[in-house]
Every structure is written in structure tokens, then in C-alpha cells.
């Protein structure tokens, strides 16, 4: 009798798990239903040349972050990093549904379409690099790599 009660309890416990707990896990370690609606888009790195430190060149270097969902997402305390551990921290930024924002390397005034890292040197390596977007808890949300021997 006791073994029947224990077996029934185990069945009830498994049935009570949320669907996402039983979902298969993808390459990023997220459950199938837990995929973030915020993703990295296009990356435009500064080219080689004598003006790569100029404000104009640095503002032509950017990464796009897009909310592919319908609901707004707060990016407060999220981070964007490169392979050399340069960190940009989002503050007081909310992306509406289907909205994108460009994070530019140089100096400028933040708007709803463009945010500025206020850096004096290039961040994104043209030959190879990886952009990593993390949420406020430090979990990797998305990555984008390019170049030979991707990191």
C-alpha cells in the first residue's frame, strides 16, 4: 500500500511541473518556450584607416538590439559586451514591441533610436569579434559572432 501511495505521489509531482520545465533545451540552454524576444541584429564595425578614432567614425560603429515581441521589454541593467570585455550597461531603456535601437560606440545624445557608449576608441573588431547581450541577471540572451576563427 505504501509503495502505491509513493508511486502515485511521484506521478502527481511530475504532472505538476510547468510545461517549460519539461521542454527540450536548445543550444543556449533555454527551454523551447523561454527564448528571449530581444535579439541582436546587424553589427557595423569601424573600418581600418586613419580616422577610426574620430567621432564620426565611432558613431558609424554600432550594434542593433531588437524586441521581436509585441510587449515592451525593459533593458534596465542589461549589458552588451565584446570579446575584449568592453561593457555597455543599459539604463532606463525600454524597447516597445517590434522596436529596435542602435548602440553606437562614440559620443552623442541618447534618443529612442540611438544610444551612445561615449567611447573614444573602437570597440568592435572588424576581423573577428563576438557581441554578447545579457539580461539584468547576467544570463546570455543572444550572441552575434563574425570573422575567421569566431570566438
Amino acid at each position: 500500500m505504501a509503495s502505491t501511495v509513493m508511486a502515485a505521489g511521484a506521478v502527481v509531482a511530475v504532472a505538476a511541473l510547468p510545461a517549460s520545465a519539461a521542454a527540450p533545451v536548445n543550444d543556449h540552454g533555454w527551454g523551447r518556450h523561454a527564448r528571449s524576444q530581444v535579439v541582436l541584429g546587424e553589427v557595423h564595425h569601424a573600418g581600418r584607416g586613419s580616422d577610426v578614432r574620430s567621432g564620426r567614425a565611432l558613431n558609424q560603429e554600432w550594434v542593433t538590439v531588437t524586441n521581436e515581441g509585441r510587449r515592451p521589454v525593459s533593458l534596465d541593467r542589461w549589458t552588451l559586451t565584446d570579446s575584449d570585455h568592453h561593457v555597455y550597461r543599459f539604463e532606463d531603456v525600454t524597447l516597445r514591441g517590434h522596436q529596435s535601437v542602435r548602440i553606437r560606440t562614440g559620443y552623442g545624445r541618447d534618443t529612442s533610436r540611438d544610444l551612445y557608449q561615449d567611447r573614444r576608441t573602437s570597440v568592435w573588431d572588424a576581423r573577428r569579434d563576438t557581441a554578447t547581450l545579457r539580461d539584468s541577471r547576467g544570463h546570455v540572451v543572444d550572441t552575434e559572432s563574425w570573422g575567421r576563427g569566431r570566438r
Side-chain angles (χ1 to χ4, degrees):
M1 175 87 171
S3 64
T4 305
V5 171
M6 288 175 60
V11 170
V12 170
V14 170
L17 286 174
S20 62
V25 175
N26 65 19
D27 292 343
H28 300 287
W30 303 315
R32 179 175 48 194
H33 302 291
R35 182 183 178 275
S36 175
Q37 61 189 13
V38 179
V39 297
L40 292 171
E42 189 175 355
V43 178
H44 189 267
H45 46 76
R48 298 274 183 238
S50 61
D51 74 339
V52 294
R53 289 182 155 210
S54 75
R56 183 175 181 194
L58 291 174
N59 285 336
Q60 293 304 312
E61 179 178 90
W62 43 262
V63 176
T64 302
V65 176
T66 300
N67 178 359
E68 293 183 334
R70 291 182 288 167
R71 297 177 187 220
V73 175
S74 171
L75 301 183
D76 192 39
R77 297 180 35 225
W78 286 38
T79 59
L80 177 64
T81 58
D82 71 336
S83 296
D84 292 325
H85 309 291
H86 295 104
V87 178
Y88 173 76
R89 182 175 306 275
F90 294 85
E91 293 188 24
D92 299 322
V93 175
T94 298
L95 283 180
R96 293 185 318 269
H98 305 288
Q99 180 186 11
S100 295
V101 65
R102 284 185 179 171
I103 295 78
R104 296 182 182 272
T105 299
Y107 282 83
R109 192 168 141 247
D110 291 347
T111 68
S112 63
R113 300 174 97 184
D114 293 288
L115 301 174
Y116 294 84
Q117 296 189 48
D118 298 333
R119 295 185 182 274
R120 296 186 188 280
T121 59
S122 178
V123 171
W124 307 108
D125 190 337
R127 286 177 282 146
R128 74 175 184 176
D129 211 338
T130 298
T132 303
L133 182 66
R134 288 184 173 81
D135 66 17
S136 60
R137 293 172 299 190
H139 298 133
V140 173
V141 173
D142 198 12
T143 61
E144 184 67 36
S145 296
W146 61 92
R148 287 188 40 206
R150 293 179 184 172
R151 296 176 187 185

Short mmCIF file of all heavy atoms in Angstrom, two decimals, residues 5 91 118 120 124 135:
data_model
loop_
_atom_site.label_atom_id
_atom_site.label_comp_id
_atom_site.label_asym_id
_atom_site.label_seq_id
_atom_site.Cartn_x
_atom_site.Cartn_y
_atom_site.Cartn_z
N VAL A 5 1.08 4.44 -2.80
CA VAL A 5 0.90 5.85 -2.48
C VAL A 5 2.12 6.66 -2.94
O VAL A 5 1.98 7.73 -3.52
CB VAL A 5 0.66 6.04 -0.96
CG1 VAL A 5 0.70 7.51 -0.58
CG2 VAL A 5 -0.66 5.41 -0.56
N GLU A 91 20.60 51.69 -19.20
CA GLU A 91 19.94 52.29 -18.04
C GLU A 91 18.69 53.01 -18.52
O GLU A 91 18.74 53.80 -19.45
CB GLU A 91 20.88 53.26 -17.34
CG GLU A 91 22.07 52.55 -16.71
CD GLU A 91 22.91 53.47 -15.85
OE1 GLU A 91 22.38 54.48 -15.38
OE2 GLU A 91 24.08 53.13 -15.66
N ASP A 118 29.67 56.55 -25.60
CA ASP A 118 30.57 57.64 -25.20
C ASP A 118 32.01 57.17 -25.06
O ASP A 118 32.71 57.53 -24.11
CB ASP A 118 30.08 58.32 -23.91
CG ASP A 118 28.71 58.96 -24.08
OD1 ASP A 118 28.36 59.35 -25.22
OD2 ASP A 118 27.99 59.09 -23.08
N ARG A 120 35.98 56.74 -26.80
CA ARG A 120 36.91 57.45 -27.68
C ARG A 120 37.66 56.52 -28.63
O ARG A 120 38.40 56.98 -29.48
CB ARG A 120 37.90 58.25 -26.86
CG ARG A 120 37.26 59.34 -26.04
CD ARG A 120 38.33 60.21 -25.36
NE ARG A 120 37.74 61.15 -24.43
CZ ARG A 120 37.18 62.30 -24.77
NH1 ARG A 120 37.12 62.65 -26.03
NH2 ARG A 120 36.69 63.09 -23.85
N TRP A 124 34.33 47.29 -31.64
CA TRP A 124 34.09 46.08 -32.43
C TRP A 124 35.22 45.86 -33.42
O TRP A 124 35.51 46.70 -34.27
CB TRP A 124 32.74 46.18 -33.15
CG TRP A 124 31.66 46.50 -32.17
CD1 TRP A 124 31.00 47.68 -32.04
CD2 TRP A 124 31.17 45.64 -31.15
NE1 TRP A 124 30.11 47.61 -31.00
CE2 TRP A 124 30.19 46.37 -30.43
CE3 TRP A 124 31.45 44.34 -30.76
CZ2 TRP A 124 29.50 45.83 -29.36
CZ3 TRP A 124 30.75 43.81 -29.68
CH2 TRP A 124 29.78 44.54 -29.01
N ASP A 135 20.98 39.78 -19.88
CA ASP A 135 19.89 40.43 -19.15
C ASP A 135 20.39 40.93 -17.79
O ASP A 135 21.58 40.79 -17.47
CB ASP A 135 18.68 39.50 -19.01
CG ASP A 135 18.94 38.27 -18.15
OD1 ASP A 135 19.92 38.24 -17.37
OD2 ASP A 135 18.13 37.32 -18.24
#
